[in-house]
């Protein structure tokens, strides 16, 4: 009996790897109780948000790189990390990855996985420090620049959990782009100062060459444009401390100003000619992470990809689900919003509609389950179940999550395992 365990993290409780380990133990216990052996493959997943880097860091070819002196959203110096996955084109990351090793060793086969939240995340700030008028994505750009100097030319960028609304200006400034006021002085690359930008200058020739050589993919599961009622400022600004109409109006005007100037004066990283503001700013995902989607496309030549699909591809999910008898997935909560590209929906879709595996039982597990999960069932899930044994508090559920996962999956595998084994015997 082949069982694939492919969960997301249970937010603020267990990492995807920890969830996977708990489920795997329950599966093995259930198989043993049935007198069977189970081949269990654990594939931790994420949707491109917080925790994605952790999944990649656990891979055998991963090196965790620590960079000192990175600026947090308020320009304070911190240590931040990213992951380098060794590829065929170069050697390993080398040592513990500490310090600021800026050597130009060619590692073009390597991939850097960088979470914006590690340097420019909302979690780095106290509640009373959260103010999108004063925050910058400069530190995120420093991490990208650090990887480029190492010779990395393939990037997976995860932009969830940001504290900023600067349209990627801070990130671009760290790469060498210049944002000047009417007097030719550099403007502080924070959201509230973007209205003062009067001109934009490209980064240096060396950095531009590195960017042209690179393939940069951004994990993005939102479709907001840069500006307007559904744009970065109006939808996400209040979550980042911009709660007054005056603050929101200044941020919106700043994004519009920089977008107009940059798109009219810069040549795109890939290709030649001006970039039409109407097409780039209006693209789905341009408003992600305070306009970082827009900034990465314009200043770095990045492309957008759904977060789940990006992670699933990198983790090789399709290669293991095609002949699975049981597939188990889950995350902290499953409800109607799960259909909007979250991990359980993505796993069900991949099993049924990509791998074309119609015989596998698909079990979706969660800390809590919403009142309507019919969409997930209609799409191909066999069962959607909560790990809670009865009425318990959230604190109790979190404290006992591993044991609850093991126990519930034990019973679910016993329930569906006989059918899975019978189907396998017929093949």
């Amino acid at each position: 009996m082949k069982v694939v365990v492919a969960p997301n993290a249970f937010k603020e409780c267990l990492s995807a790897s920890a969830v996977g380990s708990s489920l795997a133990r329950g599966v093995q216990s259930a198989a043993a109780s049935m007198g069977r052996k189970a081949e269990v493959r654990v594939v931790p997943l994420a949707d491109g948000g917080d925790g994605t880097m952790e999944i990649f860091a656990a891979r055998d070819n991963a090196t965790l790189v620590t960079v000192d002196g990175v600026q947090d959203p308020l320009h304070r110096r911190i240590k931040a990390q990213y992951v380098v996955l060794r590829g065929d084109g170069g050697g390993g990351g080398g040592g513990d990855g500490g310090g600021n090793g800026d050597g130009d060793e060619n590692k073009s086969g390597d991939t850097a996985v960088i979470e914006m939240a590690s340097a420019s995340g909302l979690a780095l700030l106290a509640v009373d420090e959260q103010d999108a008028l004063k925050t910058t994505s400069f530190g995120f750009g420093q991490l990208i620049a650090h990887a480029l100097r190492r010779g990395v030319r393939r990037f997976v960028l995860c932009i969830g959990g940001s504290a900023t609304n600067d349209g990627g200006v801070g990130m671009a400034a760290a790469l060498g782009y210049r944002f000047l006021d009417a007097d030719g002085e550099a403007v502080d690359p924070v959201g509230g100062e973007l209205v003062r930008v009067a001109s934009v200058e490209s980064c240096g020739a060396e950095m531009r060459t590195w960017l042209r050589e690179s393939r940069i993919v951004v994990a993005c599961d939102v479709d907001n444009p840069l500006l307007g009622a559904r744009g970065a400022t109006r939808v996400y600004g209040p979550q980042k401390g911009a709660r007054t109409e005056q603050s929101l109006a200044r941020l919106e005007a700043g994004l519009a100003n920089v977008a107009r100037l940059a798109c009219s004066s810069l040549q795109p990283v890939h290709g030649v000619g001006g970039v039409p503001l109407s097409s780039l700013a209006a693209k789905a995902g341009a408003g992600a992470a305070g306009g970082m989607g827009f900034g990465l496309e314009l200043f770095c030549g990045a492309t957008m990809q759904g977060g789940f699909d990006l992670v699933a591809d990198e983790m090789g999910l399709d290669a293991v689900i095609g002949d699975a008898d049981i597939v188990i997935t889950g995350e902290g909560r499953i409800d109607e919003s799960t259909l909007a590209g979250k991990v359980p929906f993505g796993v069900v879709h991949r099993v049924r509609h990509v791998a074309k595996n119609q015989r596998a039982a698909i079990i979706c597990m969660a800390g809590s389950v919403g009142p309507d999960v019919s969409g997930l069932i209609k799409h191909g899930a066999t069962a959607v179940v909560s790990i809670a044994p009865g009425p318990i508090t959230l604190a109790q559920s979190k404290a006992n999550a591993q044991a609850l996962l093991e126990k519930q999956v034990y019973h679910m595998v016993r329930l569906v395992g006989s059918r899975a084994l019978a189907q396998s015997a017929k093949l």
Side-chain angles (χ1 to χ4, degrees):
M1 178 170 65
K2 180 177 179 180
V3 182
V4 175
V5 176
N8 194 2
F10 278 37
K11 192 173 183 180
E12 299 178 357
C13 180
L14 295 173
S15 68
S17 295
V19 173
S21 296
S22 297
L23 291 172
R25 287 193 295 270
V27 170
Q28 294 288 12
S29 295
S33 74
M34 299 164 65
R36 302 287 184 174
K37 290 184 178 181
E39 175 194 351
V40 182
R41 299 289 299 272
V42 178
V43 184
L45 295 173
D47 57 12
D50 297 0
T52 301
M53 190 174 76
E54 180 182 358
I55 290 174
F56 288 106
R59 290 174 56 168
D60 292 340
N61 65 334
T63 298
L64 193 62
V65 179
T66 300
V67 186
D68 202 359
V70 173
Q71 291 189 24
D72 81 350
L74 294 177
H75 296 299
R76 297 173 299 204
R77 305 287 177 175
I78 62 171
K79 289 183 179 180
Q81 295 179 317
Y82 65 92
V83 170
V84 172
L85 302 175
R86 295 182 298 279
D88 295 334
D96 62 1
N100 292 300
D102 295 337
D104 291 328
E105 181 181 350
N106 182 9
K107 295 175 183 164
S108 59
D110 293 354
T111 299
V113 182
I114 306 177
E115 279 191 4
M116 182 178 177
S118 66
S120 308
L122 198 63
L124 298 173
L125 305 179
V127 174
D128 60 358
E129 293 177 329
Q130 296 172 7
D131 185 349
L133 291 169
K134 300 177 181 178
T135 52
T136 180
S137 59
F138 191 88
F140 180 46
Q142 288 179 292
L143 295 180
I144 296 172
H146 187 273
L148 285 166
R149 285 193 294 271
R150 289 171 62 94
V152 176
R153 295 295 181 267
R154 186 171 184 269
F155 291 80
V156 173
L157 303 181
C158 307
I159 58 176
S162 71
T164 60
N165 200 92
D166 67 0
V169 166
M171 174 275 302
L175 297 178
Y177 286 87
R178 301 186 70 207
F179 301 87
L180 309 175
D181 63 16
D183 296 322
E185 298 295 325
V187 173
D188 187 14
V190 299
E193 294 296 291
L194 302 187
V195 292
R196 297 182 51 238
V197 175
S199 63
V200 181
E201 296 180 359
S202 181
C203 57
E206 183 177 52
M207 178 61 71
R208 197 162 182 80
T209 297
W210 291 347
L211 290 171
R212 283 196 178 117
E213 293 171 349
S214 299
R215 179 175 182 263
I216 302 174
V217 183
V218 183
C220 179
D221 281 312
V222 302
D223 61 0
N224 306 81
L226 180 66
L227 305 169
R230 294 189 60 252
T233 299
R234 296 293 174 178
V235 174
Y236 303 109
Q239 302 172 15
K240 304 173 183 182
R243 298 185 178 91
T244 68
E245 179 56 35
Q246 183 179 12
S247 296
L248 292 170
R250 185 175 180 87
L251 289 169
E252 181 79 350
L255 289 180
N257 179 47
V258 167
R260 176 181 57 82
L261 291 170
C263 287
S264 63
S265 61
L266 296 178
Q267 288 190 345
V269 170
H270 298 293
V272 296
V275 182
L277 172 62
S278 58
S279 63
L280 192 56
K283 284 184 67 174
M292 182 58 68
F294 168 84
L296 286 169
E297 286 203 88
L298 176 61
F299 301 118
C300 300
T303 58
M304 299 285 193
Q305 185 175 346
F308 168 80
D309 287 330
L310 190 155
V311 175
D313 289 345
E314 291 288 336
M315 297 300 290
L317 179 64
D318 293 348
V320 297
I321 58 177
D323 61 347
D325 299 302
I326 302 174
V327 178
I328 304 168
T329 185
E331 61 183 10
R333 179 171 172 80
I334 293 177
D335 54 26
E336 298 92 330
S337 69
T338 302
L339 300 180
K342 293 189 177 180
V343 167
F345 175 79
V347 170
V348 172
H349 177 80
R350 289 279 180 125
V351 173
R352 298 296 191 222
H353 303 287
V354 178
K356 305 293 185 183
N357 184 341
Q358 304 303 324
R359 65 180 180 81
I362 307 177
I363 304 169
C364 301
M365 308 188 70
S368 64
V369 176
D372 183 8
V373 294
S374 59
L376 206 52
I377 297 294
K378 290 176 181 177
H379 206 71
T382 305
V384 181
V385 296
S386 169
I387 65 172
I392 60 174
T393 66
L394 177 61
Q396 290 172 322
S397 181
K398 287 183 175 181
N400 298 288
Q402 289 181 299
L404 293 173
L405 281 163
E406 286 186 46
K407 185 175 181 179
Q408 186 67 284
V409 80
Y410 172 90
H411 292 296
M412 292 304 300
V413 170
R414 281 187 58 85
L415 182 65
V416 304
S418 297
R419 188 193 77 167
L421 288 168
Q423 288 182 336
S424 294
K426 295 177 181 178
L427 299 178

